[in-house]
Amino acid sequence: MKNTPLLEGLHVVDLASFIAGPAAATVLGDFGADVVKVEPPHVGDTYRSLSRVPPNPHVEGINYPWQLDNRNKRSIALNLKSPGARPVLERLVRWADVLVTNFPPRARAKLGLEYDSLASLNPRLIYADVTGFGEAGPDAHLPGFDVTAFWARSGLMDITRQKDVPPAMNVFGSGDHSTAITLFAGIMTALYRREKTGQGARVTASLLAEGAWAAGMWLQAVLAGAKNPRPVDRSDPPNALGNMYRTADDRWIILVFVNEDKQVPGFLKAIGHPEAAENPRYADTPSRRAHATEIAALLDKTFATRPLAKWRELLDAAGLTYGVVQTIEEFAHDPQLLANQVLIPIDDGSTEPHLTIDSPVRLDQEQKVRPGPAPGLGEHTESVLRDLGFDTAGIEELRKAETVV
């Protein structure tokens, strides 16, 4: 017996662009929701062109970011600036259970997309709004991208850089994708509230708030009066056993010892320095902290003597906690991804299946929809309009007015 997807029958209108908002709608679609993506005619969501913009890697014939964040959606090409768009928009709103938007406040007002305006058409509507810098304050009107609002504004860009080294760019979309999961959680919370009250709600999320949450441990410390933390200098670390070391084949290992007093003797034996366990300077945590620079120098020389594979063998045999700094290429072939179905095949009819990344929310008792191809621009315009009650003559009238394509 085929299981019905959890959110089958839930109607979602995706009015957002780029990543955070659309990705939240994608997660809803993963659980079976019918997601209609509204795009401007001719150009579509600008995110469609991101894979062609350096420094993004180029893959011939595959728009990989578009596939990732817009699978299992239907696309309608609708010019929201057209006078004839309002009847289409209003029918979409009445049809929808959830509407996702990321229009800046001024654009929302100009297009009549404010919550109060749309909620009056559908009191059960869940209106999910994602912004760069929040809804209030002097910067609420600014366009927000994860590199600016999440990575740079939050202090994450500064706190992760080494002294006298320029800040590093984050992986594109990293702040967006975490914000998308927050927005998804808010939408599901609002749907639960609707089950209890019968009323819709407005859900908000922002890249700024997500950055504060991501930087929360150190941000909370500063709020409590702590000294502003600085990036760790690995040659002079606060803890040499929570530090990174380079191997003989130019790879990096990071040590993460939680129970140091228990783990240190086995570690020193594994790396060929059992005599260090008798050194009073390394005897306990306070002494190891006081001599962290000295220990780091010793470990630098030690790890530089052998390749990564040998160190993995020795550290694994000793049952020690460490991590390997993998490349993205290595991560793409990490057996843990396949074993846990983090990578899943796209149901596109190809003989050799392409893989995509599953959204990270799982329920053991619920089966997700297999990811299908992301839509072409306006691919489903006619079918969506018919679902909204437009007949052939009405659709043709909208096309003549260039309201839809």
Coordinates of all heavy atoms in Angstrom, one line a residue, residues 171-240:
V171 N 30.7 29.8 2.0 CA 30.1 29.0 0.9 C 28.7 29.6 0.6 O 27.9 29.8 1.5 CB 30.0 27.5 1.3 CG1 29.2 26.7 0.2 CG2 31.3 26.9 1.6
F172 N 28.5 29.9 -0.7 CA 27.2 30.6 -1.0 C 26.0 29.7 -0.6 O 26.0 28.5 -0.8 CB 27.2 30.8 -2.5 CG 28.1 31.9 -3.1 CD1 28.3 32.1 -4.4 CD2 28.8 32.7 -2.2 CE1 29.1 33.0 -4.9 CE2 29.7 33.6 -2.7 CZ 29.8 33.8 -4.0
G173 N 25.1 30.4 0.0 CA 23.9 29.7 0.4 C 23.9 29.1 1.8 O 22.9 28.6 2.3
S174 N 25.0 29.1 2.5 CA 25.1 28.4 3.8 C 24.2 29.1 4.8 O 23.5 28.4 5.6 CB 26.6 28.4 4.3 OG 27.2 29.7 4.3
G175 N 24.2 30.4 4.8 CA 23.2 31.1 5.7 C 21.8 31.0 5.2 O 20.9 30.9 6.0
D176 N 21.6 31.0 3.9 CA 20.3 30.9 3.3 C 19.7 29.5 3.7 O 18.5 29.5 4.0 CB 20.4 31.0 1.8 CG 20.6 32.4 1.4 OD1 19.8 33.3 1.8 OD2 21.6 32.7 0.6
H177 N 20.4 28.5 3.6 CA 19.9 27.1 3.8 C 19.5 26.9 5.2 O 18.5 26.3 5.5 CB 20.8 26.1 3.3 CG 20.7 25.9 1.8 ND1 21.9 25.9 1.0 CD2 19.7 25.8 0.9 CE1 21.5 25.7 -0.3 NE2 20.2 25.7 -0.3
S178 N 20.3 27.4 6.2 CA 19.9 27.3 7.6 C 18.7 28.2 7.9 O 17.8 27.8 8.6 CB 21.1 27.7 8.5 OG 21.6 29.0 8.2
T179 N 18.6 29.3 7.3 CA 17.5 30.2 7.5 C 16.2 29.5 6.9 O 15.1 29.7 7.4 CB 17.7 31.6 6.8 OG1 18.9 32.2 7.3 CG2 16.5 32.5 7.1
A180 N 16.4 28.8 5.8 CA 15.2 28.1 5.2 C 14.6 27.1 6.1 O 13.4 26.9 6.2 CB 15.7 27.4 3.9
I181 N 15.5 26.4 6.9 CA 15.0 25.4 7.8 C 14.3 26.1 9.0 O 13.2 25.6 9.4 CB 16.2 24.5 8.3 CG1 16.7 23.7 7.2 CG2 15.7 23.6 9.4 CD1 15.7 22.8 6.5
T182 N 14.8 27.3 9.4 CA 14.1 28.0 10.4 C 12.7 28.5 9.9 O 11.7 28.4 10.6 CB 14.9 29.3 10.8 OG1 16.1 28.8 11.4 CG2 14.2 30.2 11.8
L183 N 12.6 28.9 8.6 CA 11.4 29.4 8.1 C 10.4 28.2 8.0 O 9.2 28.3 8.3 CB 11.6 30.0 6.7 CG 10.4 30.7 6.1 CD1 10.0 31.9 7.0 CD2 10.7 31.2 4.7
F184 N 10.9 27.0 7.5 CA 10.1 25.8 7.4 C 9.6 25.5 8.8 O 8.4 25.1 9.0 CB 11.0 24.7 6.9 CG 10.3 23.3 7.0 CD1 9.3 22.9 6.2 CD2 10.8 22.4 8.0 CE1 8.7 21.7 6.3 CE2 10.2 21.2 8.2 CZ 9.2 20.8 7.3
A185 N 10.4 25.5 9.9 CA 9.9 25.2 11.2 C 8.8 26.2 11.6 O 7.8 25.8 12.3 CB 11.1 25.3 12.2
G186 N 9.0 27.5 11.3 CA 8.0 28.5 11.6 C 6.7 28.2 10.9 O 5.6 28.3 11.5
I187 N 6.8 27.8 9.6 CA 5.6 27.5 8.9 C 4.8 26.3 9.5 O 3.6 26.3 9.7 CB 5.9 27.2 7.4 CG1 6.4 28.4 6.7 CG2 4.8 26.5 6.6 CD1 7.1 28.2 5.3
M188 N 5.6 25.3 9.8 CA 4.9 24.1 10.4 C 4.3 24.4 11.8 O 3.3 23.9 12.2 CB 6.0 22.9 10.6 CG 6.5 22.4 9.2 SD 5.2 21.9 8.1 CE 4.5 20.5 9.0
T189 N 5.0 25.3 12.6 CA 4.4 25.7 13.8 C 3.1 26.5 13.6 O 2.1 26.3 14.3 CB 5.4 26.6 14.6 OG1 6.7 25.9 14.7 CG2 4.9 27.1 15.9
A190 N 3.1 27.4 12.6 CA 1.9 28.1 12.3 C 0.8 27.2 11.8 O -0.4 27.4 12.1 CB 2.2 29.2 11.2
L191 N 1.1 26.1 11.0 CA 0.1 25.2 10.6 C -0.5 24.4 11.8 O -1.7 24.2 11.9 CB 0.7 24.2 9.6 CG 1.0 24.8 8.2 CD1 1.8 23.8 7.4 CD2 -0.3 25.1 7.5
Y192 N 0.4 24.1 12.8 CA -0.1 23.5 14.0 C -1.0 24.5 14.8 O -2.1 24.0 15.3 CB 1.1 23.1 14.9 CG 0.7 22.5 16.2 CD1 0.2 21.2 16.2 CD2 0.9 23.2 17.4 CE1 -0.2 20.6 17.4 CE2 0.6 22.6 18.6 CZ 0.0 21.3 18.6 OH -0.3 20.7 19.8
R193 N -0.7 25.7 14.8 CA -1.5 26.7 15.5 C -2.9 26.8 14.7 O -3.9 26.9 15.4 CB -0.8 28.1 15.5 CG -1.6 29.2 16.0 CD -0.9 30.6 15.9 NE -1.7 31.6 16.5 CZ -2.6 32.4 15.9 NH1 -2.8 32.1 14.6 NH2 -3.2 33.3 16.5
R194 N -2.8 26.7 13.4 CA -4.0 26.8 12.6 C -5.0 25.6 12.9 O -6.2 25.8 13.0 CB -3.7 26.9 11.1 CG -5.0 27.2 10.3 CD -4.6 27.4 8.8 NE -4.4 26.1 8.2 CZ -4.2 26.0 6.9 NH1 -4.2 27.0 6.1 NH2 -4.0 24.8 6.3
E195 N -4.4 24.5 13.2 CA -5.2 23.3 13.5 C -5.9 23.5 14.9 O -7.0 23.1 15.1 CB -4.2 22.1 13.6 CG -3.8 21.5 12.3 CD -5.0 21.0 11.5 OE1 -5.7 20.1 12.0 OE2 -5.1 21.4 10.3
K196 N -5.2 24.3 15.7 CA -5.8 24.5 17.1 C -6.8 25.7 17.1 O -7.8 25.7 17.9 CB -4.7 24.8 18.1 CG -3.7 23.6 18.3 CD -2.7 23.9 19.3 CE -3.3 23.8 20.7 NZ -2.3 23.9 21.8
T197 N -6.6 26.7 16.3 CA -7.4 27.9 16.3 C -8.2 28.2 15.1 O -9.1 29.0 15.1 CB -6.4 29.1 16.5 OG1 -5.7 29.3 15.3 CG2 -5.5 29.0 17.7
G198 N -7.8 27.5 14.0 CA -8.5 27.8 12.7 C -8.1 29.0 12.0 O -8.6 29.4 11.0
Q199 N -7.1 29.7 12.6 CA -6.6 31.0 12.0 C -5.2 30.9 11.4 O -4.4 30.1 11.9 CB -6.6 32.0 13.2 CG -8.0 32.3 13.8 CD -7.9 33.2 15.0 OE1 -6.8 33.5 15.5 NE2 -9.0 33.7 15.4
G200 N -5.0 31.7 10.4 CA -3.7 31.8 9.8 C -2.8 32.6 10.6 O -3.1 33.0 11.7
A201 N -1.6 32.8 10.1 CA -0.6 33.6 10.9 C 0.5 34.1 10.0 O 0.6 33.6 8.9 CB 0.0 32.7 12.0
R202 N 1.2 35.1 10.5 CA 2.4 35.6 9.8 C 3.6 35.0 10.5 O 3.8 35.1 11.7 CB 2.4 37.1 9.8 CG 3.6 37.6 9.0 CD 3.7 39.1 9.1 NE 4.8 39.6 8.3 CZ 5.2 40.9 8.3 NH1 4.7 41.7 9.2 NH2 6.2 41.3 7.6
V203 N 4.5 34.4 9.6 CA 5.8 33.8 10.1 C 6.9 34.6 9.6 O 6.9 35.0 8.4 CB 5.9 32.3 9.6 CG1 7.2 31.8 10.0 CG2 4.7 31.5 10.1
T204 N 7.9 35.0 10.4 CA 9.0 35.7 9.9 C 10.3 35.0 10.3 O 10.4 34.3 11.3 CB 9.0 37.2 10.5 OG1 9.1 37.1 11.9 CG2 7.8 37.9 10.1
A205 N 11.3 35.2 9.4 CA 12.7 34.8 9.7 C 13.6 35.8 9.0 O 13.2 36.5 8.0 CB 12.9 33.4 9.2
S206 N 14.8 35.9 9.4 CA 15.8 36.8 8.8 C 17.2 36.2 8.8 O 17.5 35.4 9.7 CB 15.8 38.2 9.4 OG 16.4 38.1 10.7
L207 N 18.0 36.6 7.8 CA 19.4 36.2 7.8 C 20.1 36.7 9.0 O 21.0 36.1 9.5 CB 20.0 36.6 6.5 CG 19.5 35.9 5.2 CD1 19.9 36.7 4.0 CD2 20.0 34.5 5.1
L208 N 19.7 37.9 9.4 CA 20.4 38.6 10.6 C 20.1 37.7 11.8 O 21.1 37.5 12.6 CB 19.8 40.0 10.7 CG 20.4 40.8 11.9 CD1 21.8 41.3 11.4 CD2 19.5 42.0 12.2
A209 N 18.9 37.4 12.1 CA 18.6 36.6 13.3 C 19.2 35.2 13.2 O 19.7 34.7 14.2 CB 17.1 36.4 13.4
E210 N 19.3 34.6 12.0 CA 19.9 33.3 11.8 C 21.4 33.4 12.1 O 22.0 32.5 12.7 CB 19.7 32.8 10.4 CG 20.0 31.3 10.3 CD 19.0 30.4 11.0 OE1 17.8 30.9 11.2 OE2 19.3 29.3 11.3
G211 N 22.1 34.5 11.7 CA 23.5 34.8 12.0 C 23.7 34.9 13.5 O 24.7 34.4 14.1
A212 N 22.8 35.6 14.2 CA 22.9 35.7 15.7 C 22.8 34.4 16.3 O 23.5 34.1 17.3 CB 21.9 36.7 16.2
W213 N 21.9 33.5 15.8 CA 21.7 32.2 16.4 C 22.9 31.3 16.2 O 23.4 30.6 17.0 CB 20.5 31.6 15.8 CG 20.0 30.3 16.4 CD1 20.0 29.1 15.8 CD2 19.5 30.1 17.8 NE1 19.5 28.1 16.7 CE2 19.2 28.7 17.9 CE3 19.4 30.9 18.9 CZ2 18.7 28.1 19.1 CZ3 18.9 30.3 20.1 CH2 18.6 29.0 20.1
A214 N 23.5 31.4 14.9 CA 24.7 30.6 14.6 C 25.9 31.0 15.4 O 26.7 30.2 15.8 CB 25.0 30.8 13.1
A215 N 26.0 32.3 15.7 CA 27.1 32.9 16.5 C 26.8 32.9 17.9 O 27.5 33.6 18.7 CB 27.5 34.3 16.0
G216 N 25.7 32.3 18.3 CA 25.1 32.5 19.6 C 26.0 32.2 20.8 O 25.9 33.0 21.8
M217 N 26.8 31.2 20.8 CA 27.7 30.9 22.0 C 28.6 32.1 22.3 O 28.6 32.5 23.5 CB 28.5 29.6 21.7 CG 29.3 29.2 23.0 SD 30.1 27.7 22.8 CE 28.7 26.5 22.7
W218 N 29.2 32.6 21.3 CA 30.1 33.7 21.6 C 29.4 35.1 21.7 O 29.8 35.9 22.5 CB 31.2 33.8 20.5 CG 32.3 32.8 20.8 CD1 32.3 31.8 21.8 CD2 33.5 32.5 20.0 NE1 33.4 31.1 21.7 CE2 34.2 31.5 20.6 CE3 34.0 33.1 18.9 CZ2 35.4 31.0 20.1 CZ3 35.2 32.7 18.4 CH2 35.9 31.6 19.0
L219 N 28.3 35.2 20.9 CA 27.5 36.4 21.1 C 26.9 36.5 22.5 O 26.9 37.6 23.1 CB 26.4 36.5 20.0 CG 25.5 37.6 20.0 CD1 26.2 39.0 19.9 CD2 24.4 37.5 19.0
Q220 N 26.4 35.4 23.0 CA 25.9 35.4 24.3 C 27.0 35.8 25.4 O 26.7 36.4 26.4 CB 25.3 34.1 24.7 CG 24.5 34.0 26.0 CD 23.3 34.9 26.0 OE1 22.4 34.7 25.2 NE2 23.2 35.9 26.9
A221 N 28.2 35.3 25.1 CA 29.3 35.6 26.0 C 29.6 37.1 26.1 O 29.7 37.7 27.2 CB 30.6 34.8 25.6
V222 N 29.6 37.7 24.9 CA 29.8 39.2 24.9 C 28.7 39.9 25.6 O 28.9 40.9 26.3 CB 30.0 39.6 23.4 CG1 30.0 41.1 23.3 CG2 31.2 39.0 22.8
L223 N 27.4 39.4 25.3 CA 26.3 40.1 26.0 C 26.4 39.9 27.5 O 25.9 40.8 28.3 CB 25.0 39.4 25.5 CG 24.6 39.7 24.0 CD1 23.4 38.9 23.7 CD2 24.3 41.2 23.8
A224 N 27.0 38.9 28.0 CA 27.2 38.7 29.4 C 28.4 39.4 30.0 O 28.6 39.3 31.2 CB 27.3 37.2 29.7
G225 N 29.1 40.1 29.1 CA 30.2 40.9 29.6 C 31.6 40.4 29.4 O 32.6 40.9 29.8
A226 N 31.7 39.3 28.6 CA 33.0 38.7 28.3 C 33.8 39.5 27.3 O 33.2 40.3 26.6 CB 32.8 37.3 27.7
K227 N 35.1 39.4 27.4 CA 35.9 40.0 26.4 C 35.6 39.5 25.0 O 35.4 38.3 24.8 CB 37.4 39.8 26.8 CG 38.4 40.6 25.9 CD 39.8 40.3 26.3 CE 40.8 41.0 25.4 NZ 42.2 40.7 25.8
N228 N 35.6 40.4 24.0 CA 35.4 40.0 22.7 C 36.3 38.9 22.2 O 37.6 39.1 22.2 CB 35.6 41.2 21.7 CG 35.3 40.9 20.3 OD1 34.5 40.0 20.0 ND2 35.9 41.6 19.4
P229 N 35.8 37.7 21.9 CA 36.7 36.6 21.5 C 37.4 36.9 20.2 O 36.8 37.6 19.3 CB 35.8 35.4 21.4 CG 34.5 36.0 21.1 CD 34.4 37.3 21.9
R230 N 38.6 36.5 20.0 CA 39.4 36.7 18.8 C 39.6 35.3 18.1 O 39.6 34.3 18.8 CB 40.7 37.3 19.1 CG 40.6 38.7 19.7 CD 39.7 39.6 19.0 NE 40.1 39.7 17.5 CZ 39.3 40.0 16.6 NH1 38.0 40.3 16.9 NH2 39.7 40.1 15.3
P231 N 39.8 35.3 16.8 CA 40.1 34.1 16.2 C 41.3 33.4 16.8 O 42.3 34.0 17.3 CB 40.5 34.5 14.7 CG 39.8 35.8 14.6 CD 39.8 36.5 15.9
V232 N 41.3 32.0 16.8 CA 42.3 31.3 17.5 C 43.6 31.3 16.6 O 43.5 31.0 15.4 CB 41.8 29.8 17.7 CG1 43.0 28.9 18.2 CG2 40.7 29.8 18.7
D233 N 44.7 31.6 17.2 CA 46.0 31.5 16.6 C 46.5 30.0 16.8 O 46.8 29.7 18.0 CB 47.0 32.5 17.2 CG 48.3 32.4 16.6 OD1 48.6 31.5 15.8 OD2 49.2 33.3 16.9
R234 N 46.5 29.2 15.8 CA 46.8 27.8 16.0 C 48.2 27.6 16.5 O 48.5 26.5 17.1 CB 46.6 27.0 14.8 CG 47.3 27.4 13.5 CD 47.3 26.3 12.5 NE 47.8 25.1 13.0 CZ 49.1 24.8 13.0 NH1 50.0 25.6 12.6 NH2 49.4 23.6 13.5
S235 N 49.1 28.5 16.4 CA 50.5 28.3 16.9 C 50.5 28.7 18.4 O 51.5 28.4 19.1 CB 51.5 29.2 16.1 OG 51.2 30.6 16.3
D236 N 49.5 29.5 18.8 CA 49.4 29.9 20.3 C 48.0 29.7 20.7 O 47.3 30.7 21.1 CB 49.9 31.3 20.4 CG 49.9 31.8 21.8 OD1 50.0 30.9 22.8 OD2 49.8 33.0 22.1
P237 N 47.5 28.5 20.7 CA 46.1 28.2 21.0 C 45.8 28.2 22.5 O 46.7 28.0 23.3 CB 45.9 26.8 20.4 CG 47.2 26.1 20.6 CD 48.2 27.2 20.5
P238 N 44.5 28.5 22.9 CA 44.2 28.3 24.3 C 44.2 26.9 24.7 O 44.5 26.6 25.9 CB 42.8 28.9 24.3 CG 42.2 28.8 23.0 CD 43.4 29.0 22.1
N239 N 44.1 26.0 23.8 CA 44.1 24.5 24.1 C 44.7 23.8 22.9 O 44.1 23.7 21.8 CB 42.7 24.0 24.4 CG 42.7 22.5 24.6 OD1 43.7 21.9 24.8 ND2 41.5 22.0 24.6
A240 N 45.9 23.3 23.1 CA 46.6 22.6 22.1 C 45.9 21.3 21.6 O 46.2 20.8 20.5 CB 48.0 22.3 22.5

